[in-house]
């Protein structure tokens, strides 16, 4: 039996990928790429099918997934997670800088830079990472963006998950070198080399750098580089295939980004990319990550996948003093380590997946707000989270067209906050000093999380493949602490865990000749104790909980290939996300839309490949009206993003002219209650020249 999972390969072209269920055909073990089956069986006699076999799962679960290939990320110049998010249905982001986006899905997310709660975890080569410090996206094989809760893919995902896979080394010596130049005096160079070390071993080395002046004109300093940056990034990846059929992958990643922080201004000035801040500020990221993966298929009844690793990051964030008339910022190091061990297989009408996941995270969270002699606040805290989970999933093909999939996850979280202190003092107009400290605070929770899915895939000789599913998932976000609280009574009170009851229904159609496809997905998530970043009556930055909230909506997508050289696609995303019952700091937010969430987004694209190495692609996306995160007093009006590229390829060379945000849409990505805002980047025009060898 086969079930179809069309994966959106943006920009915005949808390509179907088929995954084997209970077939007896031998599976290829390629790394999430599409390949033909090695042998024929009764499952594939009706039509030549494609099989995808992922190292991290023996079958691909039914869900709302957008897959962006490494080639698409490069060609569309999607250089950060924020660039990716605003070009997908029901995905958004908030950010205070050019390189530190926080992803939000279906109305959920945004608190990662205030606490360590993760609505949308980010996974690189199977290991959870801190997405805030990622900076540059480079040399990826593909990126999967999954909307909705996920229980059996390692980390627990309340709102969704972003999973990136770096590119494997090739078995022949070769590589590529790319140069780019764009507006904002943006210069970028990336070199990748595949180096065979033996018949079964190869190394891939990628190094790159980027320098830009940024897009802010500071009138006070008479400079145009106060939001500029320079970064270096690189990756070493070793692939070894042993004699027993196992695949070993070891990766080391590093990103170093130094830049200015002249992003906050009044909305009017921010939208025109102007500033009158009195200093440049600081936005520096230093990111190290390592991962080790092992995959082996003993038989169809036993497949082993292991992913272990960790990362160490340091984020130095200092605002220009004129933003708040105070010295404001932090130096926040984070250390994470963990991984997943999974066993999976299939036999007859059954398939299964089980595993264990564990992770420990430690983050220093100091915060300085110094407007001496009038007021000074200096808080320190160390957050630690240890969580372990076990999960299992069983698929039963109880008829040729139907599959029932119950799954279960048990998760234990242990949160602690230590070394908390808060100093408040002033000498004008009256002198006072208050120093508070707390002993180590802890909060723990163990929760069972069930999921049940029913899948439908009729086996017919018709030219149209069909696949549908209905699922229920119990979602969970652990409790925690607000480290930036300035009062001991607030800091020592943990915020509650969040729970969601998520229903999803989806149906897909796909032409076997790859001429067209269509997909419709509807969802509803009823949430209790939704975690929200806000400020209380004392001006403390805290995580509060909305007693009741909900998100519901739908996602439509389709593709059409009228002729061999032209591919068209489009999508529509609708989300209504609101508080049902939320009263905080004397204000009633009940009925208000969740911040950072456009009610609608839609887009279309076309790619034309007339031959002789030429290709032309155009993407257009419209984003609806949005209340800015975290402040609901600032609003983005609807805006349209237009991206395009013309590329010519020869045997060794390629050259491309590209534009991103060609209509020069002006919109904001962050808003504060004091009226300050951060604007998105303006129009980007550029030239890329590359050579392969």
């Amino acid at each position: 039996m086969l079930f179809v999972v069309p994966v959106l390969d943006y920009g915005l072209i949808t390509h179907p990928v088929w995954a084997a269920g209970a077939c007896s055909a031998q599976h290829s073990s390629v790394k999430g790429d599409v390949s033909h089956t090695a042998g024929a069986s009764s499952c594939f006699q009706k039509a030549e099918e494609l099989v995808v076999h992922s190292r991290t799962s023996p079958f691909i679960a039914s869900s709302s997934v957008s897959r962006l290939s490494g080639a698409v990320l490069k060609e569309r110049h999607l250089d950060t997670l924020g660039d990716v998010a605003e070009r997908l249905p029901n995905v958004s982001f908030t950010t205070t800088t050019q390189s530190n986006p926080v992803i939000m899905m279906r109305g959920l997310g945004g608190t990662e830079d205030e606490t360590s709660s993760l609505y949308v975890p980010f996974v690189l080569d199977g290991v959870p990472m801190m997405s805030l410090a990622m900076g540059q996206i480079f040399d990826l094989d593909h990126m999967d963006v999954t909307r909705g809760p996920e229980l059996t893919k390692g980390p627990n995902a309340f709102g969704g998950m972003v999973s990136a896979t770096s590119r494997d080394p090739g078995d022949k010596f070769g590589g590529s070198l790319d140069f780019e130049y764009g507006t904002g005096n943006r210069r970028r160079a990336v070199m990748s080399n595949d180096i065979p070390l033996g018949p079964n071993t190869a190394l891939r080395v990628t190094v790159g750098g980027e320098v830009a002046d940024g897009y802010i004109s500071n009138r006070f300093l008479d400079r145009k580089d106060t939001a500029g940056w320079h970064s270096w990034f690189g990756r070493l990846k070793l692939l070894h295939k042993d004699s027993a059929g196992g695949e070993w992958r070891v990766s080391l990643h590093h990103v170093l980004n130094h830049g200015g922080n002249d992003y906050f201004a009044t909305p009017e000035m921010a939208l025109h990319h102007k500033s009158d801040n009195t200093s440049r500020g600081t936005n520096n990221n230093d990111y190290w990550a390592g991962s080790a993966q092992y995959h082996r298929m003993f038989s169809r009844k036993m497949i082993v996948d292991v992913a272990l690793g960790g990362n160490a990051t340091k984020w130095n964030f200092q605002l220009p003093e004129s933003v708040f008339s105070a010295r404001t910022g932090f130096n926040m190091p984070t250390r994470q380590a963990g991984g997943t061990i999974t066993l999976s297989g299939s036999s007859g009408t059954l398939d299964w997946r089980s595993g264990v996941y564990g992770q420990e995270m430690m983050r220093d969270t100091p915060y300085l707000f110094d407007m001496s002699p009038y007021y000074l606040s200096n808080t320190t805290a160390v957050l630690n989270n240890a969580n372990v989970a076990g999960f299992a999933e069983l698929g039963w093909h109880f008829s040729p067209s139907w599959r029932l999939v119950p799954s279960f996850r048990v998760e234990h979280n242990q949160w602690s906050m230590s070394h908390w202190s808060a100093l408040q003092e002033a000498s004008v107009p009256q002198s006072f000093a208050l120093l508070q400290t707390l002993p180590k605070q802890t909060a723990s929770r163990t929760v069972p999380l069930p999921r049940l899915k029913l899948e439908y895939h009729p086996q017919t000789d018709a030219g149209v493949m069909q696949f549908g599913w209905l699922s229920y998932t119990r979602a969970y976000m652990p409790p925690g602490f607000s480290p930036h609280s300035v009062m001991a009574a607030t800091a020592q009170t943990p915020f509650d865990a969040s729970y969601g009851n998520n229903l999803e229904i989806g149906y897909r159609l796909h032409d076997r000749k790859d001429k067209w496809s269509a997909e419709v997905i509807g969802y509803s998530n009823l949430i209790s104790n939704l975690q929200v970043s806000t400020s209380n009556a004392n001006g403390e930055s805290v995580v509060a909980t909305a007693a009741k909230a909900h998100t519901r909506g739908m996602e439509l997508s389709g593709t059409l290939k009228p002729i061999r050289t032209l591919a068209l696609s489009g999508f529509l995303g609708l989300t209504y996300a609101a508080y049902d019952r939320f009263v905080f700091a004397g204000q009633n937010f009940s009925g208000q839309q969740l911040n950072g969430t456009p009610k609608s987004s839609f887009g279309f694209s076309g790619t034309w490949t007339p031959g002789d190495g030429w290709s032309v692609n155009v993407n257009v996306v419209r984003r609806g009206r949005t209340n800015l995160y975290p402040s609901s007093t600032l609003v983005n009006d609807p805006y349209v993003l237009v991206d395009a590229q013309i590329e010519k390829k020869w045997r060794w060379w390629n050259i491309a002219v590209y534009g991103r945000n060609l209509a020069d849409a002006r919109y904001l990505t962050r808003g504060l209650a004091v009226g300050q805002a951060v604007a998105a980047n303006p129009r980007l025009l550029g030239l890329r020249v590359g050579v392969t060898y």
Side-chain angles (χ1 to χ4, degrees):
M1 179 179 180
L2 290 172
F3 56 98
V4 61
V5 181
V7 179
L8 302 185
D9 192 0
Y10 279 78
L12 311 164
I13 306 304
T14 304
H15 296 289
V17 179
W18 291 284
C23 287
S24 59
Q26 182 180 357
H27 296 176
S28 169
S29 60
V30 293
K31 176 184 61 68
D33 291 330
V34 174
S35 67
H36 290 281
T37 54
S41 75
S42 59
C43 293
F44 302 98
Q45 290 173 356
K46 295 179 180 179
E48 182 184 22
E49 305 286 9
L50 299 176
V51 172
V52 62
H53 179 87
S54 169
R55 291 198 316 272
T56 57
S57 64
F59 55 85
I60 295 179
S62 51
S63 55
S64 180
V65 182
S66 298
R67 169 161 289 186
L68 297 92
S69 69
V72 165
L73 291 169
K74 176 180 176 181
E75 292 167 1
R76 306 302 189 265
H77 307 279
L78 305 180
D79 300 323
T80 70
L81 291 178
D83 296 334
V84 172
E86 60 185 346
R87 289 162 175 84
L88 298 177
N90 290 337
V91 184
S92 55
F93 77 104
T94 179
T95 186
T96 58
T97 69
Q98 180 269 342
S99 59
N100 304 100
V102 178
I103 302 300
M104 310 170 75
M105 293 188 184
R106 294 178 173 176
L108 301 175
T111 62
E112 185 175 357
D113 55 347
E114 295 290 338
T115 72
S116 298
S117 299
L118 295 176
Y119 281 91
V120 182
F122 177 80
V123 177
L124 177 62
D125 286 346
V127 178
M129 302 292 177
M130 181 185 175
S131 61
L132 277 172
M134 271 302 294
Q136 303 294 323
I137 293 175
F138 64 97
D139 200 39
L140 295 182
D141 181 85
H142 64 273
M143 178 185 292
D144 288 338
V145 180
T146 303
R147 292 173 287 273
E150 181 56 64
L151 304 180
T152 62
K153 296 291 181 62
N156 175 45
F158 188 87
M161 181 184 297
V162 179
S163 179
T165 301
S166 62
R167 188 171 172 180
D168 276 349
D171 57 3
K172 296 181 180 180
F173 180 83
S176 63
L177 181 61
D178 289 291
F179 296 95
E180 292 185 35
Y181 182 80
T183 49
N185 200 22
R186 180 176 179 267
R187 293 146 286 165
R188 179 182 173 98
V190 183
M191 181 176 66
S192 298
N193 287 280
D194 294 327
I195 306 171
L197 302 178
N200 298 313
T201 308
L203 178 69
R204 184 170 179 84
V205 181
T206 300
V207 295
E210 182 173 291
V211 179
D213 290 346
Y215 310 102
I216 301 297
S217 177
N218 188 301
R219 301 181 302 185
F220 183 88
L221 299 174
D222 193 24
R223 293 174 58 179
K224 295 185 177 181
D225 62 350
T226 52
W229 66 90
H230 61 274
S231 63
W232 299 97
F233 46 90
R235 179 181 297 120
L236 298 174
K237 186 170 187 180
L238 181 72
L239 170 62
H240 173 70
K241 299 180 180 180
D242 60 35
S243 58
E247 298 177 359
W248 301 80
R249 290 172 172 84
V250 179
S251 303
L252 179 65
H253 320 260
H254 186 214
V255 176
L256 178 64
N257 184 85
H258 285 179
N261 199 7
D262 191 8
Y263 294 97
F264 280 97
T266 63
E268 295 76 14
M269 295 186 68
L271 289 171
H272 290 88
H273 300 99
K274 296 182 182 298
S275 167
D276 56 7
N277 286 313
T278 57
S279 64
R280 184 171 183 257
T282 302
N283 181 53
N284 296 339
N285 301 283
D286 191 356
Y287 190 112
W288 286 93
S291 64
Q293 298 170 277
Y294 177 71
H295 166 76
R296 182 177 174 184
M297 187 174 183
F298 291 90
S299 68
R300 293 191 67 251
K301 296 182 179 181
M302 182 58 67
I303 303 172
V304 176
D305 286 282
V306 180
L308 304 172
N311 66 83
T313 70
K314 182 177 290 186
W315 184 15
N316 184 359
F317 180 91
Q318 306 293 329
L319 283 174
E321 188 170 338
S322 52
V323 172
F324 293 112
S325 298
R327 292 193 299 124
T328 308
F330 52 79
N331 192 358
M332 184 174 70
T334 301
R335 286 80 68 195
Q336 291 175 281
T340 308
I341 300 175
T342 306
L343 301 177
S344 55
S346 62
S347 178
T349 60
L350 298 177
D351 53 69
W352 60 84
R353 173 186 179 84
S354 63
V356 294
Y357 167 78
Q359 181 193 17
E360 182 170 14
M361 182 281 302
M362 181 174 290
R363 174 181 294 177
D364 291 349
T365 59
Y367 194 84
L368 174 68
F369 186 88
D370 183 4
M371 54 188 306
S372 299
Y374 306 102
Y375 179 74
L376 177 145
S377 171
N378 188 16
T379 61
T380 65
V382 176
L383 293 177
N384 181 269
N385 170 236
N387 67 297
V388 294
F391 53 85
E393 182 174 276
L394 178 67
W396 176 33
H397 301 264
F398 62 89
S399 81
S401 299
W402 293 90
R403 178 173 178 258
L404 185 66
V405 193
S407 55
F408 193 72
R409 181 185 183 97
V410 177
E411 176 153 341
H412 174 76
N413 293 91
Q414 180 75 40
W415 275 100
S416 69
M417 182 176 68
S418 57
H419 303 287
W420 182 88
S421 67
L423 172 63
Q424 299 180 75
E425 64 179 18
S427 57
V428 176
Q430 291 182 333
S431 178
F432 81 93
L434 176 63
L435 174 63
Q436 300 180 85
T437 61
L438 284 175
K440 184 177 181 179
Q441 305 291 307
T442 61
S444 64
R445 190 69 56 89
T446 300
V447 294
L449 301 171
R451 180 174 65 186
L452 183 64
K453 292 190 299 183
L454 180 64
E455 300 174 350
Y456 172 68
H457 178 49
Q459 302 296 301
T460 68
D461 291 323
V464 178
M465 296 184 66
Q466 304 176 60
F467 177 71
W469 77 93
L470 175 65
S471 68
Y472 163 78
T473 306
R474 177 70 165 171
Y476 159 77
M477 280 270 289
F481 296 93
S482 299
H484 301 313
S485 301
V486 298
M487 301 300 293
T490 309
Q492 67 183 351
T493 304
F495 52 82
D496 294 331
S498 299
Y499 294 94
N501 293 289
N502 187 80
L503 289 173
E504 185 170 296
I505 185 170
Y507 204 79
R508 298 183 178 111
L509 299 172
H510 184 84
D511 175 52
R512 291 180 183 270
K513 295 183 180 180
D514 204 22
K515 294 293 185 180
W516 60 271
S517 68
E519 174 184 84
V520 57
I521 298 172
Y523 64 90
S524 176
N525 197 357
L526 302 178
I527 306 167
S528 58
N529 296 331
L530 178 67
Q531 296 170 14
V532 182
S533 291
T534 185
S535 297
N536 62 16
N538 296 324
E540 298 176 273
S541 181
V542 299
V543 174
T545 52
K548 298 291 182 182
H550 73 272
T551 70
R552 60 175 179 262
M554 64 186 306
E555 291 143 14
L556 303 172
S557 63
T559 65
L560 177 64
K561 198 171 183 180
I563 58 177
R564 181 180 59 84
T565 59
L566 180 62
L568 305 172
S569 73
F571 75 81
L572 169 65
L574 301 175
T575 294
Y576 180 69
Y579 303 114
D580 297 319
R581 190 165 76 248
F582 183 31
V583 179
F584 181 76
Q587 299 184 63
N588 189 350
F589 298 94
S590 303
Q592 289 192 18
Q593 182 181 352
L594 299 188
N595 294 330
T597 304
K599 290 185 177 180
S600 66
S601 60
F602 64 85
F604 62 87
S605 72
T607 298
W608 180 43
T609 53
D612 198 27
W614 286 95
S615 66
V616 180
N617 61 70
V618 178
N619 299 318
V620 179
V621 176
R622 183 188 185 274
R623 310 278 293 181
R625 184 181 183 273
T626 310
N627 297 333
L628 285 185
Y629 186 93
S631 170
S632 60
T633 61
L634 297 176
V635 176
N636 264 335
D637 291 327
Y639 61 90
V640 177
L641 298 173
V642 181
D643 307 326
Q645 176 177 280
I646 301 175
E647 185 175 26
K648 167 65 174 174
K649 294 182 179 180
W650 294 271
R651 182 178 181 184
W652 306 109
W653 293 87
N654 64 84
I655 186 170
V657 178
Y658 63 87
R660 196 170 66 196
N661 189 14
L662 283 172
D664 200 21
R666 304 294 177 94
Y667 58 101
L668 304 172
T669 63
R670 190 80 165 191
L672 299 181
V674 295
Q676 299 283 322
V678 176
N681 291 339
R683 178 191 296 119
L684 171 64
L685 302 175
L687 173 70
R688 186 183 74 242
V689 177
V691 59
T692 58
Y693 51 88

